[in-house]
Amino acid sequence: DARVTQTPRHKVTEMGQEVTMRCQPILGHNTVFWYRQTMMQGLELLAYFRNRAPLDDSGMPKDRFSAEMPDATLATLKIQPSEPRDSAVYFCASGLVLGSLSSGNTIYFGEGSWLTVV
Amino acid sequence: KQEVTQIPAALSVPEGENLVLNCSFTDSAIYNLQWFRQDPGKGLTSLLLIQSSQREQTSGRLNASLDKSSGRSTLYIAASQPGDSATYLCAVRIQGAQKLVFGQGTRLTINP
């Protein structure tokens, strides 16, 4: 049963520490998304990649957040330095999106990385 | 800017009832609309995907409709069960981009 895998599932860290979240998308999917979920803002897109190339990271605070796809099986989201306001659930999602004119297929989400910065 | 609204924010009904969850979006230029389910402490599970050219999709007791011109979608759940209790989110994929724009969700409770 193919699924998006995220690690760590839970992380508690102190303010100022570096946090790295990892995601293994479903094999064969060409598009990977990072979303953040909070009670106040709901689900917000941070960044996404297509064929490993970053397409949009406008939702991401550039000074402390960075997202990369070192290879097709791994996406990372890094926060350095972390702050209490970064506490949230970070979701990775993947899908097979074919061309800009295509309506696209279902997007699949991982279980999320639950981050608490104290 | 695309905005997605879900009403009501929370809904509680007795088991066995049929119910409808609503989703509205401000810009009709969408590729598709997707309904998700989220259980507490869990990720999102895709329920139904409706392409912009479609009017509805069905899966088991779930039926989702799409009226793109009016910017509305509904998720119909027939013969509700306690196991249907969860938060239901709708999301639209906007044209010219790959990203999904989410509503805030409807928290559904089915009482035995």
Side-chain angles (χ1 to χ4, degrees):
Chain A
D1 189 23
R3 62 180 67 183
V4 176
T5 304
Q6 290 186 246
T7 58
R9 288 296 320 280
H10 298 89
K11 175 78 174 179
V12 179
T13 191
E14 291 184 347
M15 183 174 63
Q17 295 297 305
E18 177 180 301
V19 176
T20 299
M21 289 166 276
R22 293 177 174 80
C23 168
Q24 181 176 6
I26 293 174
L27 188 64
H29 283 183
N30 64 351
T31 306
V32 176
F33 305 83
W34 282 105
Y35 280 88
R36 176 171 63 184
Q37 186 177 40
T38 61
M39 287 293 292
M40 292 300 295
Q41 300 295 327
L43 273 157
E44 304 173 285
L45 178 70
L46 296 175
Y48 72 92
F49 297 78
R50 187 173 175 191
N51 297 323
R52 295 177 54 201
L55 288 191
D56 185 351
D57 61 1
S58 59
M60 203 165 63
K62 301 291 192 304
D63 56 338
R64 299 183 299 107
F65 284 61
S66 61
E68 296 179 346
M69 274 202 79
D71 61 60
T73 64
L74 177 64
T76 62
L77 178 67
K78 186 178 297 186
I79 308 174
Q80 169 62 27
S82 58
E83 297 180 1
R85 60 179 168 151
D86 300 329
S87 298
V89 185
Y90 291 81
F91 286 105
C92 176
S94 72
L96 180 62
V97 181
L98 303 173
S100 61
L101 297 182
S102 168
S103 54
N105 293 325
T106 300
I107 305 298
Y108 296 88
F109 279 71
E111 294 277 275
S113 290
W114 299 68
L115 175 66
T116 302
V117 183
V118 298
Chain B
K1 178 187 172 186
Q2 178 73 267
E3 292 183 1
V4 181
T5 304
Q6 291 187 247
I7 295 173
L11 180 64
S12 180
V13 301
E15 180 179 4
E17 281 200 3
N18 303 325
L19 58 98
V20 174
L21 306 181
N22 297 293
C23 172
S24 62
F25 46 96
T26 55
D27 188 343
S28 61
I30 64 170
Y31 277 139
N32 59 42
L33 184 144
Q34 197 164 348
W35 281 94
F36 293 88
R37 168 187 173 138
Q38 186 175 26
D39 293 283
K42 300 289 188 179
L44 280 70
T45 301
S46 179
L47 297 173
L48 289 164
L49 172 72
I50 311 177
Q51 309 291 5
S52 62
S53 58
Q54 297 175 323
R55 298 285 291 184
E56 65 178 329
Q57 282 286 327
T58 298
S59 175
R61 295 182 294 108
L62 305 180
N63 176 276
S65 69
L66 175 64
D67 184 342
K68 202 173 72 163
S69 61
S70 68
R72 294 179 189 275
S73 176
T74 62
L75 179 67
Y76 175 83
I77 303 177
S80 58
Q81 303 171 357
D84 295 330
S85 298
T87 296
Y88 290 79
L89 297 118
C90 72
V92 297
R93 183 182 160 214
I94 60 177
Q95 288 189 1
Q98 310 293 341
K99 68 180 184 181
L100 295 175
V101 178
F102 282 85
Q104 291 281 54
T106 294
R107 189 173 67 254
L108 176 65
T109 302
I110 307 298
N111 302 303

